[in-house]
Amino acid sequence: MRKRGLLLFVWNLLGMVVAEPQVPCFFIFGDSLSDSGNNNNLVTSARANYPPYGIDFPGGPTGRFCNGRTAVDFIAQFLGFDHFIPPYSSVRGREILSGVNYASGGAGIRDETGQNLGGRISLSRQVVNYRAVVEQLKRYLGNETSVTNYLSKCIYSIGIGGNDYINNYFLPAFYPTSRLYSPQQYATLLIQQYSEQLKIMYNYGAKKVALIGLLDVGCIPREVAHSNGTCNSSINSVVGLFNAKLPSLVDSFNKNLYGAKFIFVNISAISNDIERNLQAYGFMVTNTGCCSVNRSTGEEKCLPFGIPCQNRSQHIFWDDVHPTEALHLIYARGMYNSSSSSTYTYPVDIQGLAQQ
Ligand SMILES: *[C@@H]1O[C@H](CO)[C@@H](O)[C@H](O)[C@H]1NC(C)=O
Ligand SMILES: *[C@@H]1O[C@H](CO)[C@@H](O)[C@H](O)[C@H]1NC(C)=O
Ligand SMILES: *[C@@H]1O[C@H](CO)[C@@H](O)[C@H](O)[C@H]1NC(C)=O
Ligand SMILES: *[C@@H]1O[C@H](CO)[C@@H](O)[C@H](O)[C@H]1NC(C)=O
Ligand SMILES: *[C@@H]1O[C@H](CO)[C@@H](O)[C@H](O)[C@H]1NC(C)=O
Ligand SMILES: *[C@@H]1O[C@H](CO)[C@@H](O)[C@H](O)[C@H]1NC(C)=O
Ligand SMILES: *[C@@H]1O[C@H](CO)[C@@H](O)[C@H](O)[C@H]1NC(C)=O
């Protein structure tokens, strides 16, 4: 209780106006880019509930794989919520009415993805958890019709698939997928499984859904370190095959499913603009993270209790894989309001989705 009060207090200090949010709830699915603590009690190296994680977050480490807030935290603020969307692992009672965060570090579309790291909550498991919450909503909203009505106004965001590459396809010592499937076949397979999960979500009330494309994972510091200081363009082109299929997935949902309002967020388009205007955004360091990692162990996360760089807002990356709060904020702005570039979202931005 005391912690929740403190968070609200700090939120107000940050200048947020407390008013009715634009939508009644916000549900979040995905991987470490959106996880807000769901892995804290799992046995896994995909865990970030220790310093220096959270050094810039009100209240310190939470399990977010970041120094501060992530893109979905900013989106919750832009939508007008007066609190962060609680993680499924600790959500209680009526808190579910404003939405739940199911995202899990290391998770993928494929169930086996991320096993090399340890425990994680795969997308199919996240969807099972979501269905359990929809059942509970009946208790608060009365009947199925009122739950359906309520959920049809809510925003859903899903960013997943990156681990199906970096913690599956590109780890041939652990996973056979790169021997079984060509890059094109693998992208098709992932999209098929993704589409199945999205259909279940749709059947359980998700109508306004933002599908967030994958980062250029060939440009994360860990890969750059192995590629003579430049992005690994072959990784980017393989991952690009998955992204390229998302706009038509969005089209087919919007065309074939009654009331569906899906959108695609082109994260690479936002990244390309940042890359071209680094100085305007205040970034000075692009190829190494802000905190210290131990590459000799293959560990990509910050060393516990290590002292991170002084000025986090000059860095694109926080650790060897995950963006800083500064980069998350730019992603969130582009997703929410794409009026500066029509390439950021398709067919509308999250703000447009909220208003529909
Ligand atoms: C469901 O609940 C709403 C709001 O309480 C009510 O207006 C409606 O008649 C109920 N519908 C059914 C089928 O029970
Ligand atoms: C890029 O990544 C692929 C897949 O992991 C790897 O085989 C290749 O050697 C990398 N390229 C460079 C230049 O490091
Ligand atoms: C990386 O740089 C080294 C030394 O400059 C060079 O020998 C090697 O071919 C380069 N590797 C790649 C994948 O570009
Ligand atoms: C994303 O945007 C980039 C840059 O504007 C563009 O080249 C790419 O085709 C877009 N990707 C998709 C899947 O629309
Ligand atoms: C940190 O970096 C930002 C962006 O480059 C800059 O605007 C700011 O003045 C820096 N802060 C400090 C304390 O150096
Ligand atoms: C990094 O890992 C290696 C191998 O486990 C270990 O010997 C070394 O002390 C570690 N370095 C730091 C800074 O923790
Ligand atoms: C959206 O962003 C543009 C600048 O890119 C700004 O001019 C506009 O006011 C923003 N719109 C809203 C509704 O926030």
Side-chain angles (χ1 to χ4, degrees):
M1 274 326 273
R2 184 173 299 168
K3 188 148 187 191
R4 177 63 45 92
L6 179 66
L7 278 180
L8 271 174
F9 176 65
V10 175
W11 190 291
N12 290 338
L13 281 185
L14 293 172
M16 299 306 298
V17 181
V18 178
E20 278 293 291
Q22 297 174 48
V23 294
C25 46
F26 179 28
F27 288 96
I28 298 157
F29 298 77
D31 54 26
S32 55
L33 297 173
S34 311
D35 189 348
S36 60
N38 285 309
N39 282 12
N40 291 355
N41 300 315
L42 301 183
V43 179
T44 176
S45 67
R47 234 174 57 181
N49 55 340
Y50 60 84
Y53 287 96
I55 186 170
D56 298 312
F57 192 85
T62 54
R64 285 170 176 77
F65 294 74
C66 188
N67 57 305
R69 288 162 287 175
T70 64
V72 291
D73 291 325
F74 288 115
I75 299 223
Q77 291 191 326
F78 299 161
L79 288 170
F81 288 94
D82 65 359
H83 60 277
F84 297 113
I85 302 303
Y88 181 70
S89 61
S90 66
V91 74
R92 293 288 171 270
R94 299 183 68 87
E95 289 174 347
I96 60 173
L97 282 164
S98 62
V100 178
N101 183 336
Y102 302 93
S104 165
I109 294 168
R110 292 174 65 86
D111 288 345
E112 85 274 14
T113 288
Q115 203 153 33
N116 54 300
L117 303 169
R120 74 268 164 228
I121 307 158
S122 67
L123 178 60
S124 53
R125 190 74 220 169
Q126 291 179 32
V127 172
V128 168
N129 292 342
Y130 167 67
R131 287 165 58 178
V133 163
V134 173
E135 288 302 319
Q136 289 172 40
L137 280 173
K138 273 190 214 151
R139 200 185 310 158
Y140 300 113
L141 299 173
N143 57 41
E144 206 152 312
T145 317
S146 42
V147 170
T148 306
N149 254 332
Y150 188 79
L151 293 177
S152 70
K153 300 183 194 121
C154 299
I155 301 276
Y156 293 72
S157 87
I158 315 187
I160 200 154
N163 286 311
D164 294 292
Y165 287 96
I166 58 176
N167 286 303
N168 189 326
Y169 199 73
F170 289 119
L171 284 185
F174 286 92
Y175 302 94
T177 45
S178 61
R179 291 184 292 277
L180 295 173
Y181 309 108
S182 72
Q184 190 62 257
Q185 286 169 335
Y186 191 61
T188 303
L189 192 67
L190 289 179
I191 291 286
Q192 273 165 6
Q193 295 191 12
Y194 198 16
S195 170
E196 293 303 316
Q197 300 302 331
L198 291 168
K199 249 175 238 157
I200 299 172
M201 287 171 53
Y202 167 85
N203 288 333
Y204 279 81
K207 301 291 181 285
K208 300 182 175 189
V209 184
L211 305 184
I212 302 170
L214 307 186
L215 305 183
D216 290 325
V217 291
C219 298
I220 60 178
R222 189 185 81 183
E223 301 303 338
V224 168
H226 298 145
S227 310
N228 282 354
T230 61
C231 296
N232 184 321
S233 54
S234 68
I235 292 185
N236 285 346
S237 60
V238 171
V239 171
L241 297 172
F242 175 86
N243 284 335
K245 294 180 190 296
L246 292 174
S248 48
L249 186 65
V250 160
D251 284 337
S252 92
F253 271 98
N254 291 342
K255 187 162 154 264
N256 300 320
L257 299 178
Y258 176 78
K261 297 176 182 111
F262 280 53
I263 68 167
F264 162 62
V265 176
N266 187 339
I267 289 287
S268 325
I270 305 176
S271 294
N272 289 346
D273 281 354
I274 296 168
E275 205 82 359
R276 277 195 290 269
N277 299 293
L278 286 171
Q279 273 164 346
Y281 288 107
F283 291 123
M284 317 283 226
V285 189
T286 60
N287 54 359
T288 60
C290 163
C291 70
S292 316
V293 299
N294 191 347
R295 288 225 175 96
S296 62
T297 58
E299 176 57 61
E300 59 210 16
K301 294 201 322 304
C302 305
L303 289 168
F305 300 96
I307 310 282
C309 66
Q310 275 291 320
N311 193 339
R312 267 82 69 182
S313 56
Q314 294 179 347
H315 281 249
I316 282 191
F317 285 97
W318 163 243
D319 59 16
D320 236 6
V321 174
H322 302 104
T324 52
E325 176 182 73
L327 183 58
H328 273 289
L329 173 58
I330 298 169
Y331 285 150
R333 285 194 182 127
M335 293 179 201
Y336 182 73
N337 171 2
S338 65
S339 63
S340 65
S341 170
S342 60
T343 59
Y344 289 178
T345 60
Y346 169 82
V348 298
D349 55 23
I350 291 181
Q351 183 171 236
L353 199 56
Q355 285 160 2
Q356 279 179 5

